[in-house]
Amino acid sequence: MPRFAANLTMLFTELPMLERFAAAAEAGFEGIEILFPYDIAARDLSRAAISAGLDFVLMNAPPPNWAGGPRGFAAEPGREDRFRSDFDRAVRFAEALRARHIHIMAGYAQGDEARETFTRNLSWAAERAPHVSLTIEPLNPADQPGYFLADFDLAADLIAEVGAPNLGLQFDTYHAQLITGDAMAAWRRHAGITRHIQIAGLPGRHEPAGGMIDYPGFFAALDRSGYKGWVSAEYNPASLTTQGLGWLPRP
Ligand SMILES: O=C(O)[C@@H](O)C(=O)CO
Ligand SMILES: [Mg+2]
């Protein structure tokens, strides 16, 4: 079985952020991720993860935040200087948290210039922080209209073009199902470049149980494929988080 992490931006929101760590550990998760952790001091987040015995798996870049803010701007022409200074800040934050991956968000732009900007920024970032694992994640256009990275084959092409050992794919089954119509087939096509996985049920982005994706089958496919990374629960619980954790495999 893969190792499971809880996305604390979406799970355990019944509790204040720093209390969500212990709740995740209690529920059986071994790691956590936070999409935009920048509003809380890194030392407090780090302390909460260590005292709950959890790995800090992933955070997003660039800052600032989740609350209504745009999802990055790494593909937006003309914002390269801002990207660079914000990326450095994200790396400092990730180092303090010992976060395993930084997800670089593309932002909202289209066309060749956006593609060139994204590729250039990714190459710069991969070289700037060779010790940090970087990911890119296609987001479905219904949830994020105009977001540059909305295609798995494009993500694979960009990763190949940049050709950096520390850049890989963040494969979110929810987006994969909505973008390609077949998350399992997309997984088989892109397993080799995947660094991090996120899961949710469809329709509705609730618990990964029932619905359009066969999760026990997917977890078995991960084992067969030799996937060594994390699987993060990134969904909106249908009611209390703890009431919907029947899908989480127990040792
Ligand atoms: O799937 C998502 O929406 C996230 O993984 C994300 O990073 C968006 O901010
Ligand atoms: Mg995701």
Side-chain angles (χ1 to χ4, degrees):
M1 263 307 139
R3 282 170 303 168
F4 290 93
N7 181 305
L8 296 187
T9 304
M10 292 170 82
L11 267 59
F12 300 105
T13 55
E14 305 86 356
L15 299 168
M17 179 58 84
L18 290 176
E19 291 175 29
R20 295 177 199 170
F21 290 77
E26 172 80 8
F29 291 102
E30 295 178 79
I32 58 92
E33 62 181 30
I34 300 178
L35 296 182
F36 296 97
Y38 305 97
D39 289 345
I40 300 179
R43 72 171 173 282
D44 293 339
L45 292 167
S46 175
R47 205 174 290 142
I50 290 167
S51 70
L54 294 164
D55 281 20
F56 209 111
V57 178
L58 173 121
M59 52 178 265
N60 286 350
N65 58 42
W66 170 262
R71 301 290 192 273
F73 46 83
E76 296 179 14
R79 303 190 70 188
E80 291 84 347
D81 288 348
R82 174 84 196 274
F83 174 79
R84 289 177 185 211
S85 59
D86 278 359
F87 179 77
D88 282 348
R89 188 175 152 220
V91 169
R92 286 197 297 277
F93 220 86
E95 284 169 348
L97 297 175
R98 298 208 185 92
R100 184 148 311 189
H101 306 289
I102 296 180
H103 165 207
I104 297 186
M105 302 209 70
Y108 305 83
Q110 304 301 322
D112 290 347
E113 213 192 334
R115 184 192 167 115
E116 280 154 27
T117 305
F118 197 31
T119 312
R120 224 177 15 254
N121 279 336
L122 291 172
S123 300
W124 177 85
E127 212 176 303
R128 177 88 170 166
H131 56 296
V132 179
S133 166
L134 306 176
T135 62
I136 55 174
E137 176 191 27
L139 303 183
N140 81 81
D143 285 355
Q144 290 297 325
Y147 189 75
F148 173 74
L149 192 59
D151 184 289
F152 280 82
D153 288 337
L154 172 61
D157 287 349
L158 294 171
I159 288 166
E161 246 167 77
V162 171
N166 57 332
L167 178 66
L169 179 69
Q170 184 166 319
F171 184 89
D172 186 323
T173 55
Y174 166 77
H175 296 296
Q177 182 68 32
L178 289 173
I179 291 171
T180 70
D182 187 345
M184 291 293 271
W187 164 252
R188 286 191 292 275
R189 192 168 163 82
H190 298 294
I193 55 166
T194 297
R195 289 289 165 77
H196 182 58
I197 293 174
Q198 293 170 321
I199 57 171
L202 293 101
R205 206 175 197 182
H206 296 304
E207 279 75 359
M212 295 161 88
I213 298 174
D214 163 21
Y215 275 105
F218 181 56
F219 300 151
L222 294 187
D223 285 345
R224 283 196 304 277
S225 74
Y227 176 70
K228 296 276 182 279
W230 288 85
V231 173
S232 204
E234 188 187 39
Y235 60 82
N236 298 304
S239 69
L240 281 182
T241 305
T242 47
Q243 283 175 6
L245 291 176
W247 62 270
L248 180 62
R250 316 270 158 178

